[in-house]
């Protein structure tokens, strides 16, 4: 049976002597929308929560994804609740593997292609986020999105930064605990910077959408700034956890101490920053 929208569209088309829209097109237009931005944010934050609280603004989109996973037998109905917790991460990872993905592409962090495939006939995907292609900037590997974020931060600072470790560097630096295995991860050198300058660099990085912390000898590191591009769809699992911890007020280290970086409010992604 045609919906009211379809009936109106058909009548209009007939009155002008043109073909009515195909029922499949009408059905697609009527599908609910899942925001990739919202789903990505929840997939970073919710697994790091101590409870089953929901990420603000993400419930409706997450529910659409969870319902689709449940329909495929990958997620128990009890977890279809709008909370993108560890069970949903595991289910989404299983779905990615069923598509033939491996490694960071099957980490349970949703990407555009897998979200769209999962939603066929159920929902459309809006507010997509793309990592872009891999490239070299300041001598290190990163993706297009991360470079754009870094360039904007450098512009705010009025200086170029030294990158000591880039992205897509599996097994590169043991102390990094796998956070640089995927995209969106940078280590920034701070040689010659004062304490105030280090803090200002971390602040500017946070303003444009990075989770950024000054790492110190007291934490077991040589001084540097560690930065994770929030909502990068290529994040490794370790980087995904650090992004979630940043939102929740932690320092991104294994001990989950209180955030010791410069306060910024609100905590924005690159897409949110660009929208002002």
């Amino acid at each position: 049976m045609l919906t009211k929208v379809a009936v109106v569209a058909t009548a209009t088309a007939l009155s002008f002597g043109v073909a009515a829209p195909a029922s499949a097109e009408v059905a697609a237009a009527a599908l609910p929308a899942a925001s990739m931005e919202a789903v990505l944010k929840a997939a970073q934050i919710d697994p790091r929560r101590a409870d089953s609280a929901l990420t603000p603004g993400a419930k409706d989109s997450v529910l659409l994804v969870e319902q689709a996973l449940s329909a495929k037998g990958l997620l128990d109905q009890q977890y279809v609740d709008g909370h993108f917790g560890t069970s949903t991460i595991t289910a989404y990872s299983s779905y990615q593997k069923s598509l033939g993905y491996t490694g960071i592409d099957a980490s349970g962090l949703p990407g555009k292609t897998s979200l769209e495939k999962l939603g066929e006939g159920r929902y459309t995907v809006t507010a997509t986020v793309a990592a872009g292609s891999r490239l070299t900037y300041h001598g290190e590997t990163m993706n297009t999105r991360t470079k754009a974020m870094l360039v904007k931060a450098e512009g705010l600072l009025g200086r170029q930064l030294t990158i000591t470790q880039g992205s897509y560097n599996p097994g590169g630096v043991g102390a990094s605990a796998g956070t640089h295995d995927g995209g969106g991860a940078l280590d920034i050198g701070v040689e010659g910077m004062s304490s105030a300058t280090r803090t200002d660099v971390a602040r500017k990085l946070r303003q444009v959408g990075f989770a950024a912390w000054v790492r110190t000898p007291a934490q077991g590191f040589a001084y540097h700034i560690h930065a994770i591009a929030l909502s990068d769809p290529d994040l490794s699992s370790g980087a995904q956890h650090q992004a979630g911890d940043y939102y929740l007020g932690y320092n991104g280290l294994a001990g989950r101490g209180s955030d010791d970086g410069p306060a910024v409010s609100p905590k924005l992604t690159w897409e949110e920053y660009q929208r002002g």
Side-chain angles (χ1 to χ4, degrees):
M1 186 171 76
L2 289 176
T3 64
K4 182 178 180 181
V5 172
V7 171
V8 172
T10 301
T12 301
L14 290 174
S15 68
F16 284 95
V18 297
S23 59
E25 294 174 350
V26 174
L31 290 175
S35 164
M36 183 175 173
E37 282 191 34
V39 170
L40 277 175
K41 185 174 286 189
Q44 293 166 100
I45 301 172
D46 292 354
R48 305 299 288 172
R49 296 184 188 275
D51 54 24
S52 57
L54 307 182
T55 294
K59 179 181 178 181
D60 291 346
S61 294
V62 171
L63 275 174
L64 290 170
V65 173
E66 290 178 328
Q67 288 163 356
L69 290 170
S70 181
K72 290 185 177 295
L74 297 172
L75 184 65
D76 192 280
Q77 185 63 33
Q78 67 176 312
Y79 299 116
V80 180
D81 55 5
H83 172 83
F84 209 113
T86 55
S87 295
T88 305
I89 288 286
T90 299
Y92 202 93
S93 175
S94 295
Y95 175 65
Q96 290 169 321
K97 290 173 183 175
S98 78
L99 298 177
Y101 295 132
T102 60
I104 62 169
D105 294 326
S107 68
L109 188 67
K112 178 178 181 291
T113 300
S114 61
L115 267 180
E116 289 177 339
K117 285 183 178 295
L118 181 63
E120 288 177 355
R122 303 185 67 94
Y123 60 79
T124 59
V125 179
T126 60
T128 59
V129 179
S133 59
R134 301 185 191 186
L135 49 80
T136 300
Y137 182 60
H138 292 339
E140 296 292 338
T141 301
M142 61 191 72
N143 59 45
T144 305
R145 180 176 182 266
T146 303
K147 178 188 173 183
M149 295 169 66
L150 182 59
V151 168
K152 173 55 71 172
E154 290 177 324
L156 295 176
L157 288 162
R159 64 185 297 165
Q160 289 199 328
L161 298 173
T162 299
I163 311 303
T164 58
Q165 185 179 189
S167 307
Y168 306 105
N169 188 31
V173 177
S176 297
T179 56
H180 291 258
D181 288 3
L186 299 175
D187 282 344
I188 296 167
V190 297
E191 184 177 357
M193 291 185 189
S194 66
S195 175
T197 300
R198 292 193 294 262
T199 299
D200 190 46
V201 171
R203 179 180 295 107
K204 296 298 192 298
L205 289 168
R206 289 185 171 201
Q207 287 174 358
V208 302
F210 286 98
W213 299 274
V214 179
R215 298 303 191 211
T216 70
Q219 297 169 330
F221 303 97
Y223 274 117
H224 71 281
I225 294 171
H226 180 64
I228 299 295
L230 299 172
S231 290
D232 187 306
D234 281 356
L235 293 179
S236 69
S237 293
Q240 177 185 344
H241 293 163
Q242 287 187 331
D245 280 356
Y246 169 72
Y247 278 114
L248 296 172
Y250 297 107
N251 63 5
L253 295 174
R256 303 193 79 189
S258 296
D259 186 10
D260 54 3
V264 297
S265 182
K267 295 175 179 177
L268 302 175
T269 65
W270 173 236
E271 290 71 28
E272 291 167 336
Y273 174 81
Q274 289 180 293
R275 288 195 295 266

